[in-house]
């Protein structure tokens, strides 16, 4: 499919191939060694090598190993331009996702597919397992809350591989003017969504291990509050805390520091009171109990939520329900009708059993 074609790659540090010696080799190096004409690389949030902070501006550059130009797909240039796609026949998309709506690589996939549809460039998605693919949960995003951390009317935990997600983008007419990209999904063999999948390379700087990836969909809501979710520690998305929580109720103490991937974490240098969740059982649903407990025991409830929370939730009702004192189960009950419709909606796009 790539032979004698002019190829571009959308990739990051997870875009690797296991060689015969049991070593990970970057996809770009693998293609070049196979005499495939790769002319440029597009890099998503966190950059080509995956070391930038969440939300940090990524600049264009040159890959020191191959000399290929690297074009950032984050910040002001989230979508490849016609000029950037000139003389490209095929764009290969290979990025490890973690199955949460607000993890921005699926938004990058949308913009890449849209640009390729507009410029007559084929899209090849190299599929990878979804480490949170064994369940579907959370509220469906409402269109007025669409943003780069949630572009489509899907639940927080969408249950799809990247290839399945690309098929849904095409099939549901999510692209501008309901265009469809010319899409090829290279599917996996022997993959079952119920299987536990340990990512061999961390997908972003603040998801260092399987525990953080499992807790991420539930703890990422804290990004829309005044609570730190472990950024600036070596327990990212495995602890939460703030200076405003009750130390008697939240006895775990830590102080966020400036680290690679979290140069200016929330509450930098301040003592935080919270919980350590490294011993929590593996989740198979979106868990709200920690968010509700933190809200109920914060020093100043009016300053708990920030403007980012509703974008993460995809609605205004989750914040309102928590403020009204609703229980986790009462809130979860309001999601079920939307989740049932979503499960039926995605059936045509599924490639794997579960």
């Amino acid at each position: 499919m790539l032979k004698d074609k002019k190829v571009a790659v959308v990739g990051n540090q997870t875009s690797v191939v296991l060689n015969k010696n049991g070593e990970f080799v970057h996809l770009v190096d693998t293609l070049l060694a196979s005499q495939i004409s790769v002319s440029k690389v597009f890099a998503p949030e966190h950059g080509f090598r995956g070391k930038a902070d969440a939300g940090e501006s990524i600049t264009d550059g040159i890959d020191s190993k191959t000399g290929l130009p690297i074009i950032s797909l984050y910040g002001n240039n989230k979508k490849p331009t016609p000029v950037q796609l000139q003389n490209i026949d095929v764009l290969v998309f290979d990025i490890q996702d973690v199955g949460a709506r607000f993890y921005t690589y699926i938004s990058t996939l949308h913009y890449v597919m849209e640009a390729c549809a507009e410029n007559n460039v084929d899209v090849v998605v190299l599929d990878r397992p979804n480490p949170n693919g064994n369940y579907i949960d959370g509220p469906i995003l409402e269109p007025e809350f669409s943003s780069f951390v949630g572009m489509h009317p899907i639940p927080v935990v969408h249950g799809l591989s990247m290839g399945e997600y690309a098929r849904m983008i095409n099939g549901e007419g999510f692209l501008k003017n309901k265009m469809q990209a010319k899409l090829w999904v290279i599917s996996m063999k022997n993959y079952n969504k119920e299987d536990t999948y340990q990512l061999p390379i961390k997908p972003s700087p603040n998801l260092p291990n399987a525990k953080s990836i499992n807790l991420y969909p539930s703890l990422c809501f804290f990004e829309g509050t005044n609570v730190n979710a472990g950024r600036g520690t070596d327990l990212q998305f495995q602890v939460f805390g703030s200076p405003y929580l009750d130390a008697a109720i939240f006895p775990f103490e830590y102080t966020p520091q400036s680290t690679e991937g979290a140069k200016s974490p929330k509450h930098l240098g301040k003592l935080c009171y919270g919980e350590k969740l490294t011993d929590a059982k593996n989740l198979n649903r979106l868990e709200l109990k920690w968010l509700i407990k933190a809200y109920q025991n914060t020093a100043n409830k009016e300053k708990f939520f920030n403007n980012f929370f509703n974008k993460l939730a995809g609605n205004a009702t989750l914040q309102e329900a928590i403020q009204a004192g609703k229980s986790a189960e009462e809130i979860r009950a309001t999601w079920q009708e939307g989740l049932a419709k979503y499960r039926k909606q995605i059936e045509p796009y599924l490639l794997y059993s579960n």
Side-chain angles (χ1 to χ4, degrees), residues 187-262:
S187 59
M188 295 172 278
K189 295 180 180 179
N190 308 315
Y191 174 54
N192 187 306
K193 290 181 182 176
E194 294 296 333
D195 293 342
T196 300
Y197 182 69
Q198 298 277 349
L199 299 189
I201 297 170
K202 61 183 180 182
S204 53
N206 289 287
L207 292 180
N209 53 40
K211 179 59 68 176
S212 66
I213 290 166
N214 180 245
L215 289 165
Y216 172 74
S218 299
L219 295 194
C220 192
F221 285 120
F222 282 124
E223 304 280 86
T225 73
N226 64 7
V227 176
N228 173 288
R231 293 185 189 271
T233 76
D234 58 0
L235 293 172
Q236 307 99 312
F237 291 100
Q238 298 157 86
V239 299
F240 69 89
S242 92
Y244 313 116
L245 295 180
D246 188 333
I249 297 173
F250 297 96
F252 182 71
E253 298 181 358
Y254 68 95
T255 303
Q257 305 293 336
S258 181
T259 62
E260 183 178 77

Coordinates of all heavy atoms in Angstrom, one line a residue, residues 187-262:
S187 N -5.9 -3.8 10.9 CA -6.4 -4.3 12.1 C -5.5 -5.2 12.8 O -4.6 -5.8 12.2 CB -7.8 -4.9 11.9 OG -7.7 -6.0 11.0
M188 N -5.7 -5.5 14.1 CA -4.9 -6.4 14.9 C -5.3 -7.8 14.8 O -6.5 -8.0 14.6 CB -4.9 -5.9 16.4 CG -4.3 -4.6 16.6 SD -4.6 -4.0 18.3 CE -6.3 -3.4 18.2
K189 N -4.5 -8.7 15.0 CA -4.8 -10.1 15.1 C -4.8 -10.5 16.6 O -4.1 -10.0 17.4 CB -3.8 -11.0 14.3 CG -3.8 -10.8 12.8 CD -2.7 -11.7 12.2 CE -2.7 -11.5 10.7 NZ -1.7 -12.4 10.0
N190 N -5.7 -11.4 16.9 CA -5.8 -12.1 18.2 C -6.0 -11.0 19.3 O -5.6 -11.2 20.5 CB -4.5 -12.8 18.5 CG -4.1 -13.8 17.4 OD1 -5.0 -14.5 16.9 ND2 -2.9 -13.8 17.0
Y191 N -6.8 -10.0 19.0 CA -7.1 -9.0 20.1 C -8.5 -9.1 20.6 O -9.4 -9.2 19.8 CB -6.9 -7.6 19.5 CG -7.3 -6.5 20.4 CD1 -6.8 -6.4 21.7 CD2 -8.2 -5.5 20.0 CE1 -7.2 -5.4 22.6 CE2 -8.6 -4.5 20.9 CZ -8.1 -4.4 22.1 OH -8.4 -3.4 23.0
N192 N -8.6 -9.2 21.9 CA -9.9 -9.2 22.6 C -10.0 -8.1 23.6 O -9.0 -7.9 24.4 CB -10.1 -10.6 23.2 CG -11.5 -10.7 23.8 OD1 -12.0 -9.9 24.6 ND2 -12.2 -11.8 23.4
K193 N -11.0 -7.3 23.6 CA -11.0 -6.1 24.4 C -11.1 -6.5 25.9 O -10.9 -5.6 26.8 CB -12.2 -5.2 24.0 CG -12.0 -4.5 22.7 CD -13.1 -3.6 22.3 CE -12.9 -3.0 21.0 NZ -14.0 -2.2 20.5
E194 N -11.5 -7.7 26.2 CA -11.5 -8.1 27.6 C -10.1 -8.4 28.1 O -9.8 -8.5 29.4 CB -12.4 -9.3 27.8 CG -13.8 -9.0 27.6 CD -14.4 -8.1 28.5 OE1 -14.0 -7.9 29.6 OE2 -15.4 -7.4 28.1
D195 N -9.1 -8.6 27.2 CA -7.7 -8.9 27.6 C -7.1 -7.7 28.3 O -7.3 -6.5 27.9 CB -6.9 -9.3 26.4 CG -7.3 -10.6 25.8 OD1 -8.1 -11.4 26.5 OD2 -7.0 -10.9 24.7
T196 N -6.3 -7.9 29.3 CA -5.5 -6.8 29.9 C -4.3 -6.5 29.0 O -3.6 -7.5 28.6 CB -5.0 -7.2 31.3 OG1 -6.1 -7.5 32.1 CG2 -4.2 -6.1 31.9
Y197 N -4.1 -5.3 28.7 CA -3.0 -4.9 27.8 C -2.1 -3.9 28.5 O -2.5 -2.8 28.8 CB -3.5 -4.3 26.5 CG -2.4 -4.0 25.5 CD1 -1.7 -5.0 24.9 CD2 -2.1 -2.7 25.2 CE1 -0.7 -4.7 24.0 CE2 -1.1 -2.3 24.3 CZ -0.4 -3.4 23.7 OH 0.6 -3.0 22.8
Q198 N -0.9 -4.3 28.7 CA 0.1 -3.5 29.3 C 0.9 -2.7 28.2 O 1.5 -3.3 27.4 CB 1.1 -4.3 30.1 CG 0.5 -5.1 31.2 CD 0.4 -4.3 32.5 OE1 0.9 -3.2 32.6 NE2 -0.3 -4.9 33.5
L199 N 0.8 -1.4 28.3 CA 1.4 -0.6 27.2 C 2.9 -0.7 27.4 O 3.5 -0.4 28.5 CB 1.0 0.9 27.3 CG -0.5 1.1 27.1 CD1 -0.7 2.6 26.9 CD2 -1.0 0.4 25.8
P200 N 3.7 -1.0 26.4 CA 5.1 -1.1 26.5 C 5.9 0.2 26.6 O 7.0 0.3 27.1 CB 5.6 -1.9 25.2 CG 4.5 -1.6 24.3 CD 3.2 -1.4 25.1
I201 N 5.2 1.3 26.1 CA 5.7 2.6 26.2 C 4.7 3.5 26.7 O 3.5 3.5 26.3 CB 6.2 3.1 24.8 CG1 7.3 2.2 24.2 CG2 6.6 4.5 24.7 CD1 7.6 2.4 22.8
K202 N 5.0 4.4 27.6 CA 4.0 5.3 28.2 C 3.4 6.2 27.1 O 4.2 6.8 26.3 CB 4.5 6.1 29.4 CG 5.6 7.0 29.2 CD 6.0 7.6 30.6 CE 7.2 8.6 30.4 NZ 7.6 9.1 31.7
P203 N 2.1 6.3 27.0 CA 1.5 7.1 25.9 C 1.7 8.6 26.0 O 1.5 9.3 25.0 CB 0.0 6.6 25.9 CG -0.2 6.3 27.4 CD 1.1 5.7 27.9
S204 N 1.9 9.1 27.2 CA 2.2 10.5 27.4 C 2.9 10.7 28.7 O 2.9 9.7 29.5 CB 0.9 11.3 27.3 OG -0.1 10.8 28.2
P205 N 3.5 11.8 28.9 CA 4.4 11.9 30.1 C 3.8 11.6 31.5 O 4.4 11.2 32.4 CB 4.9 13.4 30.0 CG 4.8 13.8 28.6 CD 3.6 13.0 28.1
N206 N 2.5 11.9 31.6 CA 1.8 11.8 32.9 C 0.9 10.5 33.0 O 0.1 10.5 33.9 CB 1.0 13.1 33.2 CG 1.9 14.2 33.5 OD1 2.6 14.3 34.6 ND2 2.1 15.2 32.6
L207 N 1.2 9.6 32.1 CA 0.5 8.3 32.2 C 1.6 7.2 32.2 O 1.9 6.6 31.2 CB -0.5 8.0 31.1 CG -1.7 8.9 31.1 CD1 -2.6 8.6 29.9 CD2 -2.5 8.8 32.4
P208 N 2.3 7.0 33.3 CA 3.5 6.2 33.3 C 3.4 4.7 33.4 O 4.3 4.0 33.1 CB 4.3 6.7 34.6 CG 3.2 7.1 35.5 CD 2.1 7.7 34.6
N209 N 2.1 4.3 33.8 CA 2.0 2.8 34.0 C 0.5 2.4 33.9 O -0.4 3.3 33.6 CB 2.5 2.4 35.4 CG 1.9 3.3 36.5 OD1 0.7 3.6 36.5 ND2 2.7 3.6 37.5
A210 N 0.2 1.1 34.0 CA -1.1 0.6 33.8 C -2.1 1.2 34.8 O -3.3 1.4 34.5 CB -1.1 -0.9 33.8
K211 N -1.7 1.4 36.0 CA -2.6 1.9 37.1 C -3.0 3.3 36.7 O -4.2 3.7 36.8 CB -1.9 1.9 38.4 CG -2.7 2.4 39.6 CD -4.0 1.7 39.8 CE -3.8 0.3 40.2 NZ -5.1 -0.4 40.5
S212 N -2.1 4.2 36.3 CA -2.4 5.5 35.9 C -3.4 5.6 34.7 O -4.3 6.4 34.7 CB -1.2 6.4 35.6 OG -0.5 5.9 34.5
I213 N -3.2 4.7 33.8 CA -4.0 4.6 32.6 C -5.4 4.2 33.0 O -6.4 4.7 32.5 CB -3.4 3.7 31.5 CG1 -2.1 4.4 31.0 CG2 -4.4 3.4 30.4 CD1 -1.3 3.4 30.2
N214 N -5.5 3.2 33.9 CA -6.8 2.7 34.3 C -7.6 3.8 35.1 O -8.8 3.9 35.0 CB -6.6 1.5 35.2 CG -7.9 0.9 35.7 OD1 -8.2 0.8 36.9 ND2 -8.8 0.4 34.8
L215 N -6.9 4.6 35.9 CA -7.5 5.6 36.7 C -7.8 6.9 36.0 O -8.6 7.7 36.4 CB -6.7 5.9 38.0 CG -6.6 4.8 39.1 CD1 -5.5 5.1 40.0 CD2 -7.9 4.8 39.8
Y216 N -7.1 7.1 34.9 CA -7.1 8.4 34.1 C -8.5 8.8 33.8 O -8.9 10.0 34.0 CB -6.2 8.3 32.9 CG -6.4 9.4 32.0 CD1 -5.8 10.7 32.3 CD2 -7.1 9.3 30.8 CE1 -5.8 11.7 31.4 CE2 -7.2 10.4 29.9 CZ -6.6 11.6 30.2 OH -6.7 12.7 29.4
P217 N -9.4 8.0 33.2 CA -10.7 8.5 32.9 C -11.5 9.1 34.0 O -12.3 10.0 33.9 CB -11.4 7.3 32.3 CG -10.4 6.4 31.8 CD -9.2 6.6 32.8
S218 N -11.3 8.5 35.2 CA -12.0 9.0 36.4 C -11.3 10.2 37.1 O -12.0 11.1 37.5 CB -12.1 7.8 37.4 OG -12.8 6.7 36.9
L219 N -10.0 10.2 37.1 CA -9.3 11.3 37.8 C -9.1 12.5 36.9 O -8.8 13.6 37.5 CB -7.9 10.7 38.3 CG -7.9 9.7 39.4 CD1 -6.6 9.5 40.0 CD2 -9.0 9.9 40.5
C220 N -9.2 12.4 35.6 CA -9.0 13.5 34.8 C -10.0 14.6 35.0 O -9.7 15.8 34.8 CB -9.0 13.1 33.3 SG -8.4 14.4 32.2
F221 N -11.1 14.3 35.6 CA -12.1 15.3 36.0 C -11.5 16.4 36.9 O -11.9 17.5 37.0 CB -13.4 14.7 36.6 CG -14.3 14.0 35.6 CD1 -14.6 12.7 35.7 CD2 -14.8 14.7 34.6 CE1 -15.4 12.1 34.8 CE2 -15.7 14.1 33.7 CZ -16.0 12.8 33.8
F222 N -10.5 15.9 37.7 CA -9.9 16.9 38.7 C -9.1 18.0 37.9 O -8.8 19.0 38.5 CB -8.9 16.1 39.6 CG -9.6 15.4 40.7 CD1 -9.4 14.0 40.9 CD2 -10.4 16.1 41.6 CE1 -10.0 13.3 41.9 CE2 -11.0 15.4 42.6 CZ -10.9 14.0 42.8
E223 N -8.8 17.8 36.6 CA -8.2 18.8 35.9 C -9.1 20.1 35.7 O -8.6 21.2 35.5 CB -7.8 18.3 34.5 CG -6.9 17.1 34.5 CD -5.4 17.4 34.7 OE1 -5.0 17.5 35.9 OE2 -4.7 17.6 33.8
G224 N -10.4 19.9 35.9 CA -11.3 21.0 35.9 C -11.7 21.5 37.2 O -12.8 22.1 37.4
T225 N -10.8 21.2 38.2 CA -11.1 21.7 39.6 C -9.8 22.3 40.2 O -8.8 22.3 39.5 CB -11.5 20.5 40.5 OG1 -10.4 19.6 40.7 CG2 -12.6 19.7 39.8
N226 N -9.8 22.6 41.4 CA -8.6 23.1 42.1 C -7.8 22.0 42.8 O -7.0 22.3 43.6 CB -9.0 24.2 43.1 CG -9.8 23.7 44.3 OD1 -10.1 22.5 44.4 ND2 -10.3 24.7 45.1
V227 N -8.1 20.8 42.4 CA -7.4 19.6 42.9 C -6.4 19.1 42.0 O -6.6 19.0 40.8 CB -8.4 18.4 43.2 CG1 -7.7 17.2 43.7 CG2 -9.5 18.9 44.3
N228 N -5.2 18.8 42.5 CA -4.1 18.3 41.7 C -4.3 16.8 41.6 O -4.7 16.1 42.5 CB -2.8 18.6 42.4 CG -1.6 17.9 41.8 OD1 -1.4 16.7 41.9 ND2 -0.7 18.7 41.2
A229 N -4.1 16.2 40.3 CA -4.3 14.8 40.1 C -2.9 14.1 40.0 O -2.8 13.1 39.2 CB -5.1 14.6 38.9
G230 N -1.9 14.5 40.7 CA -0.7 13.8 40.7 C 0.4 14.4 39.8 O 1.5 13.9 39.8
R231 N 0.0 15.4 39.0 CA 1.1 16.0 38.2 C 2.1 16.7 39.1 O 1.8 17.3 40.1 CB 0.5 17.1 37.2 CG -0.5 16.5 36.2 CD -0.9 17.6 35.2 NE -2.0 17.2 34.3 CZ -1.8 16.6 33.1 NH1 -0.5 16.4 32.7 NH2 -2.8 16.3 32.4
G232 N 3.4 16.5 38.7 CA 4.4 17.1 39.5 C 4.9 16.1 40.6 O 5.6 16.4 41.5
T233 N 4.4 14.8 40.5 CA 4.9 13.7 41.4 C 5.3 12.5 40.5 O 5.2 12.6 39.3 CB 3.8 13.3 42.3 OG1 2.8 12.5 41.6 CG2 3.0 14.5 43.0
D234 N 5.7 11.5 41.1 CA 5.9 10.2 40.3 C 4.8 9.3 40.5 O 4.8 8.1 40.1 CB 7.2 9.5 40.8 CG 7.2 9.2 42.3 OD1 6.2 9.5 43.0 OD2 8.2 8.6 42.8
L235 N 3.6 9.8 40.9 CA 2.4 9.1 41.0 C 1.3 9.8 40.2 O 0.1 9.9 40.7 CB 1.9 8.9 42.5 CG 2.9 8.0 43.3 CD1 2.4 8.0 44.8 CD2 2.8 6.5 42.8
Q236 N 1.6 10.2 39.0 CA 0.6 10.9 38.2 C -0.6 10.1 37.9 O -0.6 8.9 37.6 CB 1.2 11.3 36.8 CG 2.5 12.0 36.9 CD 3.7 11.1 36.7 OE1 3.8 10.0 37.3 NE2 4.7 11.4 35.8
F237 N -1.8 10.7 38.2 CA -3.1 10.0 38.0 C -3.2 8.8 38.8 O -3.9 7.8 38.5 CB -3.4 9.8 36.5 CG -3.7 11.1 35.8 CD1 -2.7 11.6 35.0 CD2 -4.9 11.7 35.9 CE1 -2.9 12.9 34.3 CE2 -5.1 12.9 35.3 CZ -4.2 13.5 34.5
Q238 N -2.5 8.8 40.0 CA -2.6 7.7 40.9 C -2.8 8.3 42.3 O -3.0 7.5 43.3 CB -1.4 6.8 40.9 CG -1.2 6.1 39.6 CD 0.3 5.7 39.4 OE1 0.7 4.6 39.8 NE2 1.1 6.6 38.7
V239 N -2.8 9.6 42.4 CA -3.1 10.3 43.7 C -3.9 11.6 43.3 O -3.9 12.0 42.1 CB -1.8 10.8 44.4 CG1 -1.0 9.6 44.9 CG2 -1.0 11.7 43.6
F240 N -4.5 12.1 44.3 CA -5.1 13.5 44.1 C -5.1 14.2 45.4 O -5.0 13.6 46.5 CB -6.6 13.4 43.6 CG -7.6 12.8 44.5 CD1 -8.2 13.6 45.5 CD2 -7.9 11.5 44.6 CE1 -9.2 13.1 46.3 CE2 -8.8 10.9 45.4 CZ -9.4 11.7 46.3
G241 N -5.0 15.5 45.4 CA -5.0 16.3 46.6 C -4.9 17.8 46.3 O -4.7 18.2 45.2
S242 N -5.2 18.5 47.4 CA -5.0 20.0 47.3 C -4.8 20.6 48.7 O -5.1 19.9 49.7 CB -6.3 20.6 46.7 OG -7.2 21.0 47.6
P243 N -4.3 21.8 48.8 CA -4.2 22.4 50.1 C -5.5 22.7 50.8 O -5.6 23.0 52.0 CB -3.5 23.7 49.8 CG -2.9 23.5 48.4 CD -3.8 22.6 47.7
Y244 N -6.6 22.6 50.0 CA -7.9 23.0 50.5 C -8.8 21.9 51.0 O -9.9 22.0 51.5 CB -8.7 23.8 49.4 CG -7.9 24.8 48.7 CD1 -7.5 24.7 47.4 CD2 -7.3 25.9 49.5 CE1 -6.7 25.7 46.8 CE2 -6.5 26.9 48.9 CZ -6.2 26.7 47.5 OH -5.4 27.7 46.9
L245 N -8.2 20.6 50.9 CA -9.0 19.5 51.4 C -8.7 19.3 52.9 O -7.6 19.7 53.4 CB -8.6 18.2 50.6 CG -9.0 18.2 49.1 CD1 -8.6 16.9 48.5 CD2 -10.5 18.5 49.0
D246 N -9.6 18.6 53.6 CA -9.5 18.4 55.0 C -8.5 17.3 55.3 O -8.7 16.2 54.9 CB -10.9 18.0 55.5 CG -11.0 18.0 57.1 OD1 -9.9 17.7 57.7 OD2 -12.1 18.1 57.6
A247 N -7.4 17.7 56.0 CA -6.3 16.8 56.3 C -6.8 15.6 57.1 O -6.2 14.5 57.0 CB -5.2 17.5 57.0
A248 N -7.8 15.8 57.9 CA -8.3 14.7 58.8 C -9.0 13.6 57.9 O -9.0 12.4 58.3 CB -9.3 15.2 59.8
I249 N -9.6 14.0 56.8 CA -10.3 13.1 55.9 C -9.4 12.6 54.8 O -9.6 11.5 54.3 CB -11.6 13.8 55.3 CG1 -12.5 14.2 56.5 CG2 -12.3 12.9 54.3 CD1 -13.7 15.0 56.0
F250 N -8.5 13.4 54.4 CA -7.5 13.1 53.4 C -6.1 13.1 53.9 O -5.4 14.1 53.8 CB -7.6 14.1 52.2 CG -9.0 14.1 51.5 CD1 -10.0 15.0 51.9 CD2 -9.3 13.2 50.5 CE1 -11.2 15.0 51.3 CE2 -10.5 13.2 49.9 CZ -11.5 14.1 50.3
P251 N -5.7 12.0 54.5 CA -4.4 12.0 55.3 C -3.1 11.9 54.4 O -2.0 12.1 54.9 CB -4.5 10.7 56.2 CG -5.4 9.8 55.4 CD -6.4 10.7 54.7
F252 N -3.3 11.5 53.1 CA -2.1 11.3 52.3 C -1.5 12.7 51.9 O -2.3 13.6 51.4 CB -2.4 10.5 51.0 CG -1.2 10.3 50.2 CD1 -0.1 9.5 50.6 CD2 -1.0 11.0 49.0 CE1 1.0 9.3 49.8 CE2 0.1 10.8 48.2 CZ 1.1 9.9 48.6
E253 N -0.3 13.0 52.2 CA 0.3 14.3 51.9 C 1.4 14.2 50.8 O 2.1 13.2 50.8 CB 1.0 14.8 53.2 CG 0.0 15.1 54.4 CD 0.7 15.6 55.6 OE1 2.0 15.8 55.5 OE2 0.0 15.9 56.6
Y254 N 1.4 15.2 50.0 CA 2.5 15.3 49.0 C 2.6 16.7 48.5 O 1.7 17.6 48.7 CB 2.2 14.4 47.8 CG 1.0 14.7 46.9 CD1 1.2 15.5 45.8 CD2 -0.3 14.3 47.2 CE1 0.1 15.8 45.0 CE2 -1.3 14.6 46.4 CZ -1.1 15.4 45.3 OH -2.2 15.7 44.5
T255 N 3.7 17.1 47.9 CA 4.0 18.4 47.4 C 4.4 18.4 46.0 O 5.5 17.8 45.7 CB 5.1 19.1 48.3 OG1 4.7 19.1 49.7 CG2 5.4 20.5 47.8
P256 N 3.6 18.8 45.0 CA 4.0 18.8 43.6 C 5.2 19.6 43.4 O 5.4 20.7 43.9 CB 2.7 19.4 42.9 CG 1.6 19.3 43.9 CD 2.2 19.4 45.3
Q257 N 6.1 19.1 42.5 CA 7.3 19.7 42.1 C 7.4 19.8 40.6 O 6.6 19.1 39.9 CB 8.5 18.9 42.6 CG 8.6 18.6 44.1 CD 8.8 19.9 44.9 OE1 9.3 20.9 44.4 NE2 8.3 19.8 46.2
S258 N 8.2 20.7 40.1 CA 8.4 20.8 38.6 C 9.1 19.6 38.1 O 10.2 19.2 38.6 CB 9.2 22.1 38.3 OG 9.3 22.2 36.9
T259 N 8.5 18.9 37.1 CA 9.1 17.7 36.5 C 9.0 17.7 35.0 O 8.2 18.5 34.5 CB 8.3 16.4 37.1 OG1 7.0 16.5 36.7 CG2 8.4 16.3 38.6
E260 N 9.7 16.8 34.4 CA 9.5 16.6 32.9 C 8.1 16.2 32.6 O 7.6 15.3 33.2 CB 10.5 15.6 32.4 CG 10.4 15.5 30.9 CD 11.4 14.5 30.3 OE1 11.1 13.3 30.4 OE2 12.5 14.9 29.8
G261 N 7.4 17.0 31.7 CA 6.0 16.7 31.5 C 5.1 17.4 32.4 O 3.8 17.4 32.2
A262 N 5.6 18.1 33.4 CA 4.7 18.8 34.4 C 5.6 19.9 35.0 O 5.9 19.9 36.1 CB 4.1 18.0 35.4

